[in-house]
Amino acid sequence: MDVIPVPLTDQQTPVNNIRTRTFFVLDDQLDEAILKNALASLIREHWRKLGGRLATGKNGHLEYHVPHTFGENYLLFDWTSKAYNHSIDNITDLPRATHPEAGITFHPHLAAVESWFRPAHWPYERKDEPADAPLLYVQFSSFTDATVLAISAPHVLGDQFGLGNILKAWLGMVRGVAPPSMIGYDDDIVFNNGKLYNEYSKKERKKKGRMRIILEKQEVTHTVFLPHSLLQALRARVVRDLAEEKGGDPGISVGDIITGIMMKFARMHVKKSKRLTLSQTVNLRGRIPQLENRDAFIHNSLHYATSRFLMTSSTPMGEIALRNRQAIIRATVPKEIEIGMETCREMVFEWSYNISNWSAAWKGLDFGEAVKGENKGRNPKLKLLLGEGKALNGPDRFNAMVLCKAEEGYWCRFSAAENKMKLLEEYVKEDPMLERL
């Protein structure tokens, strides 16, 4: 058996207890047997680590225990399935894309529909796992016109880009294509170049905000739909305004616009101005030499782009989008990546807001060869993706998630204190195209 230490950066609290849950809603029926067999082959023949177990070593740190070979009765993963003899549209609370003319729309959170796709025995967190729990839990839910593939995995194992790589390797096995050799199987190749924190100058050390958590506040969480046409119109407006005010466009993306919307929503009904930190996750795959083969690394490899500024309720959405773009440009400079990878960042007590963007993790996924019947070979559309990757009872209102890019638009998760959400819901009814944002 291989005993592989978990990198210390992957087992900090609360990451060491989180199990990330991800639900792919696809618009066709998939073949369960093909998918299950392909995942087993991926683990047995190529990426053995996925079949290992997490255990606490004698030093109190987490480690992977990976058998050299898997016996016939060894549980590679927990697989369950459920067949529904009706359309997925029968689930009334399932978020659905609305017409572009409706603008931004709020829909039920994952909690309203999760019981349809998540078996009761799944552990929400690692502390709830039974002894000898596998890393991967998979639920295959079939409908007459759709399939929902749900996956639960420890955050210790990897981020959502890592899950995307697992899916690419898995679906490659469906097509008969072997995956690349796993990078970082038994070594911390990302956060380990031996340079100490105090070897960097004070200017090089990054400061990142930390949120003040008021646990007693009641929160409301929505799944948010943003149609492509709305986002493109907002982007065009911001680019035009920047050209007039600053003489150019630094490359504002749709992702920057979504970040601006989410953060504006989080602060637009707060009268008091406050200096804050906006942080955005940046995927290191393809940005550093160790991860040149971006499809072969499954573990956590996120960097943070941070911007600190004074924000008021009147700060334009476009200014937030600009600051986010500037932070990403700075964060992707090689020197900044090196510092971010090798230093523990100083924490200062100020209000902080974080955006996690999962949408790029699913780019290039092709389920076509797993489709049943006459549509085999046609890649089904990703209608919706839902998920959570945080501590079960942790607050949601200090971060937002961009869940996926679908054919009609982007799906996000946004939370706010109950009283603030009521004001936001009223605002969206009056300005669904966000013309005043």
Side-chain angles (χ1 to χ4, degrees), residues 235 239 249 251-258 321 324-325 328:
R235 180 183 175 279
V239 169
D249 168 25
I252 297 293
S253 70
V254 167
D256 298 323
I257 298 300
I258 295 174
N324 188 69
R325 175 49 39 190
I328 291 175

Side-chain angles (χ1 to χ4, degrees), residues 341-369:
M341 287 165 55
E342 305 304 339
T343 64
C344 296
R345 294 165 187 238
E346 298 180 67
M347 304 300 284
V348 293
F349 286 93
E350 64 178 10
W351 195 88
S352 176
Y353 198 75
N354 176 258
I355 304 289
S356 295
N357 193 334
W358 294 0
S359 62
W362 324 126
K363 187 177 181 180
L365 294 184
D366 188 348
F367 289 86
E369 291 304 313

Side-chain angles (χ1 to χ4, degrees), residues 160-161 255 258 356-364 382 385 401-406 410-411:
Q160 291 297 75
F161 288 89
I258 295 174
S356 295
N357 193 334
W358 294 0
S359 62
W362 324 126
K363 187 177 181 180
L382 180 63
L385 183 136
M401 295 196 304
V402 185
L403 298 168
C404 77
K405 177 184 179 181
Y410 281 83
W411 289 99

Side-chain angles (χ1 to χ4, degrees), residues 129-253:
E129 293 175 352
D132 199 39
L135 296 175
L136 301 180
Y137 283 70
V138 182
Q139 163 82 359
F140 181 93
S141 301
S142 60
F143 296 82
T144 57
D145 54 359
T147 301
V148 179
L149 188 66
I151 303 171
S152 168
H155 201 336
V156 168
L157 178 67
D159 51 37
Q160 291 297 75
F161 288 89
L163 177 61
N165 283 346
I166 291 172
L167 279 159
K168 289 174 187 175
W170 178 3
L171 295 172
M173 295 296 292
V174 171
R175 299 192 303 273
V177 178
S181 297
M182 180 184 285
I183 295 176
Y185 171 79
D186 57 2
D187 189 22
D188 181 7
I189 66 167
V190 177
F191 299 95
N192 183 20
N193 74 0
K195 192 168 183 178
L196 300 177
Y197 175 75
N198 59 13
E199 293 181 49
Y200 292 99
S201 69
K202 288 185 177 180
K203 287 185 178 181
E204 290 175 322
R205 299 173 191 170
K206 290 289 183 182
K207 288 192 174 182
K208 185 172 120 178
R210 188 162 100 189
M211 52 196 157
R212 297 182 179 185
I213 299 174
I214 307 174
L215 293 175
E216 63 269 18
K217 280 197 175 182
Q218 294 296 313
E219 294 182 338
V220 175
T221 302
H222 287 313
T223 302
V224 181
F225 177 66
L226 292 159
H228 288 305
S229 58
L230 170 63
L231 292 171
Q232 292 297 343
L234 291 173
R235 180 183 175 279
R237 188 187 80 193
V238 169
V239 169
R240 182 187 67 241
D241 291 346
L242 287 175
E244 293 175 357
E245 296 173 13
K246 303 182 184 299
D249 168 25
I252 297 293
S253 70

